[in-house]
Coordinates of all heavy atoms in Angstrom, one line a residue:
N19 N -7.6 -9.0 7.2 CA -7.6 -10.2 6.5 C -6.6 -10.2 5.3 O -6.9 -10.0 4.2 CB -9.0 -10.4 5.9 CG -9.2 -11.8 5.3 OD1 -8.3 -12.6 5.3 ND2 -10.4 -12.1 4.8
P20 N -5.3 -10.5 5.7 CA -4.3 -10.4 4.7 C -4.4 -11.4 3.6 O -3.9 -11.2 2.5 CB -3.0 -10.7 5.5 CG -3.4 -10.7 6.9 CD -4.8 -10.7 7.0
A21 N -5.0 -12.5 3.8 CA -5.2 -13.6 2.8 C -6.3 -13.2 1.8 O -6.4 -13.9 0.8 CB -5.5 -14.9 3.5
A22 N -7.1 -12.2 2.0 CA -8.2 -11.8 1.2 C -7.7 -11.2 -0.2 O -8.5 -11.2 -1.1 CB -9.1 -10.8 1.9
F23 N -6.5 -10.8 -0.2 CA -6.0 -10.1 -1.4 C -4.9 -10.9 -2.1 O -4.0 -11.4 -1.5 CB -5.5 -8.7 -1.0 CG -6.5 -7.9 -0.4 CD1 -6.5 -7.7 1.0 CD2 -7.6 -7.3 -1.1 CE1 -7.5 -7.0 1.7 CE2 -8.6 -6.6 -0.4 CZ -8.5 -6.4 0.9
D24 N -5.0 -10.9 -3.4 CA -3.9 -11.6 -4.2 C -2.8 -10.7 -4.6 O -1.7 -11.1 -4.8 CB -4.6 -12.2 -5.5 CG -5.6 -13.3 -5.1 OD1 -5.2 -14.3 -4.4 OD2 -6.8 -13.1 -5.5
F25 N -3.1 -9.4 -4.7 CA -2.1 -8.4 -5.0 C -2.7 -7.0 -4.7 O -3.9 -6.8 -4.5 CB -1.6 -8.4 -6.5 CG -2.6 -8.1 -7.5 CD1 -2.6 -6.9 -8.2 CD2 -3.7 -9.0 -7.9 CE1 -3.5 -6.6 -9.2 CE2 -4.6 -8.6 -8.9 CZ -4.5 -7.4 -9.5
V26 N -1.8 -6.0 -4.7 CA -2.1 -4.6 -4.3 C -1.6 -3.7 -5.4 O -0.4 -3.9 -5.9 CB -1.5 -4.2 -3.0 CG1 -1.8 -2.7 -2.7 CG2 -2.0 -5.1 -1.9
I27 N -2.4 -2.7 -5.8 CA -1.9 -1.6 -6.7 C -2.1 -0.4 -5.9 O -3.2 -0.1 -5.4 CB -2.7 -1.6 -8.0 CG1 -2.5 -2.9 -8.8 CG2 -2.3 -0.3 -8.8 CD1 -3.4 -2.9 -10.1
T28 N -1.0 0.4 -5.7 CA -1.1 1.6 -4.9 C -0.4 2.8 -5.6 O 0.6 2.6 -6.3 CB -0.5 1.4 -3.5 OG1 -0.7 2.6 -2.8 CG2 0.9 1.0 -3.6
D29 N -1.0 4.0 -5.4 CA -0.4 5.2 -5.9 C 0.8 5.5 -5.0 O 0.8 5.1 -3.8 CB -1.5 6.3 -5.8 CG -0.9 7.7 -6.3 OD1 -0.1 7.7 -7.2 OD2 -1.4 8.7 -5.8
Q30 N 1.7 6.2 -5.4 CA 2.9 6.6 -4.6 C 2.6 7.8 -3.8 O 2.8 7.8 -2.6 CB 4.1 6.9 -5.5 CG 5.3 7.6 -4.8 CD 5.8 6.9 -3.6 OE1 5.6 5.7 -3.4 NE2 6.5 7.6 -2.8
T31 N 2.1 8.9 -4.4 CA 2.0 10.2 -3.7 C 0.6 10.3 -3.1 O -0.4 10.6 -3.8 CB 2.2 11.3 -4.6 OG1 3.5 11.1 -5.3 CG2 2.2 12.7 -3.9
M32 N 0.5 10.1 -1.7 CA -0.7 10.2 -1.0 C -0.5 10.7 0.4 O 0.6 10.7 0.9 CB -1.4 8.7 -0.8 CG -1.7 8.1 -2.1 SD -2.5 6.4 -1.8 CE -1.1 5.5 -1.2
P33 N -1.5 11.4 1.0 CA -1.3 11.9 2.4 C -1.2 10.7 3.4 O -1.7 9.6 3.1 CB -2.5 12.7 2.6 CG -3.6 12.2 1.6 CD -2.8 11.6 0.5
Q34 N -0.7 11.0 4.5 CA -0.6 10.0 5.6 C 0.5 9.0 5.4 O 1.4 8.8 6.2 CB -1.9 9.4 6.0 CG -2.9 10.4 6.4 CD -4.3 9.8 6.6 OE1 -4.8 9.1 5.7 NE2 -4.9 10.1 7.7
L35 N 0.4 8.2 4.3 CA 1.4 7.2 4.0 C 1.7 7.3 2.5 O 0.7 7.4 1.7 CB 0.9 5.8 4.3 CG 0.8 5.3 5.7 CD1 0.1 4.0 5.7 CD2 2.1 5.3 6.4
T36 N 2.9 7.2 2.0 CA 3.2 7.1 0.6 C 2.9 5.7 0.2 O 2.8 4.8 1.0 CB 4.6 7.5 0.3 OG1 5.5 6.4 0.9 CG2 5.0 8.8 0.7
G37 N 2.7 5.5 -1.1 CA 2.5 4.1 -1.6 C 3.7 3.2 -1.2 O 3.5 2.0 -0.9
Y38 N 4.9 3.8 -1.2 CA 6.1 3.0 -0.9 C 6.0 2.6 0.6 O 6.3 1.4 1.0 CB 7.3 3.8 -1.1 CG 8.6 3.1 -0.8 CD1 9.1 2.0 -1.5 CD2 9.3 3.4 0.4 CE1 10.2 1.3 -1.2 CE2 10.4 2.8 0.7 CZ 10.9 1.7 0.0 OH 12.0 1.0 0.3
E39 N 5.6 3.5 1.5 CA 5.5 3.2 2.9 C 4.4 2.2 3.1 O 4.5 1.2 3.9 CB 5.2 4.5 3.7 CG 6.4 5.4 3.7 CD 6.0 6.8 4.3 OE1 4.8 7.2 4.2 OE2 6.9 7.5 4.8
L40 N 3.3 2.3 2.4 CA 2.2 1.4 2.5 C 2.6 0.0 2.1 O 2.4 -1.0 2.8 CB 1.0 1.8 1.7 CG -0.2 0.8 1.6 CD1 -0.8 0.6 3.0 CD2 -1.2 1.3 0.6
A41 N 3.3 -0.1 1.0 CA 3.8 -1.4 0.5 C 4.8 -2.0 1.6 O 4.6 -3.3 1.8 CB 4.6 -1.2 -0.8
Q42 N 5.6 -1.3 2.2 CA 6.5 -1.8 3.2 C 5.8 -2.4 4.4 O 6.1 -3.5 4.8 CB 7.5 -0.7 3.7 CG 8.5 -0.3 2.6 CD 9.3 -1.4 2.1 OE1 10.1 -2.1 2.8 NE2 9.2 -1.7 0.8
R43 N 4.7 -1.7 4.8 CA 3.9 -2.2 5.9 C 3.1 -3.4 5.6 O 2.9 -4.3 6.4 CB 3.0 -1.1 6.5 CG 3.8 0.1 7.1 CD 3.0 1.0 7.8 NE 3.8 2.1 8.3 CZ 3.2 3.1 9.0 NH1 2.0 3.2 9.3 NH2 4.0 4.1 9.4

């Protein structure tokens, strides 16, 4: 549900995906 969120706050250093990679996806 991409329309459910108005914005995202993410940490950068995480396992599996970095915050930067998550943001890009």
Side-chain angles (χ1 to χ4, degrees):
N19 191 0
F23 303 101
D24 296 301
F25 66 108
V26 176
I27 298 177
T28 182
D29 182 30
Q30 165 57 19
T31 307
M32 297 183 290
Q34 298 171 312
L35 289 172
T36 66
Y38 179 73
E39 292 167 335
L40 174 62
Q42 294 300 302
R43 292 192 186 180

